[in-house]
Amino acid sequence: HGAVLGTPGFMAPEQLRGEAENVDQRADVYSLGAILQLAISGGRSRMPSSVPRALSAIARKAMAPEPRDRYDSAGSMGRDIARYLDGLSVSALPENLLGKARRWARRYRVAIALVLTYLLVRALLLFWLHR
């Protein structure tokens, strides 16, 4: 009791302080968040700007200093990651209308490009035929 075991960079703050009574599944979530951050940052101390905001928000939420601010379980973190991979919104990143529109446009960019190309060609043909 009270012994600190683990790798410091991957241990939750309450675990580092030796507060065994406060260590629960959210300490594991913290460790998973640290692994995710390491994977998406490529080992850099700062998150590269090329990392999607939703993915870095998932890592930040998992590594929140206070256990109550983290995901309740690894399963809920996994569901957020699955939602990110499916192009859906994640609980770690509140979105406004513009953010939802951007995410939607990224998800359907090929269809949007096809429709815009069709409309442009159609407009050019109408212009050319009515000269």
Side-chain angles (χ1 to χ4, degrees), residues 3-123:
V4 177
L5 298 171
T7 305
F10 298 90
M11 292 172 64
E14 63 274 15
Q15 194 175 5
L16 275 171
R17 292 188 298 263
E19 300 169 358
E21 66 280 355
N22 295 332
V23 174
D24 58 10
Q25 70 273 9
R26 292 171 295 186
D28 295 332
V29 168
Y30 185 96
S31 297
L32 289 172
I35 292 168
L36 176 63
Q37 183 170 339
L38 178 69
I40 62 179
S41 70
R44 295 183 204 97
S45 59
R46 290 193 49 191
M47 195 73 68
S49 60
S50 60
V51 174
R53 288 180 48 220
L55 199 53
S56 61
I58 291 171
R60 278 194 313 274
K61 181 174 179 175
M63 294 180 66
E66 292 296 323
R68 69 178 173 273
D69 297 332
R70 296 181 203 141
Y71 290 99
D72 292 336
S73 66
S76 60
M77 180 181 171
R79 283 188 289 281
D80 238 6
I81 292 172
R83 289 183 59 78
Y84 164 75
L85 292 173
D86 289 339
L88 303 172
S89 64
V90 297
S91 67
L93 182 65
E95 281 185 319
N96 58 18
L97 188 59
L98 182 60
K100 288 179 184 180
R102 262 191 251 128
R103 187 174 40 80
W104 184 85
R106 270 194 308 270
R107 186 171 187 187
Y108 297 107
R109 66 181 170 264
V110 173
I112 292 169
L114 288 173
V115 168
L116 289 176
T117 302
Y118 167 78
L119 292 173
L120 178 65
V121 169
R122 179 82 182 212

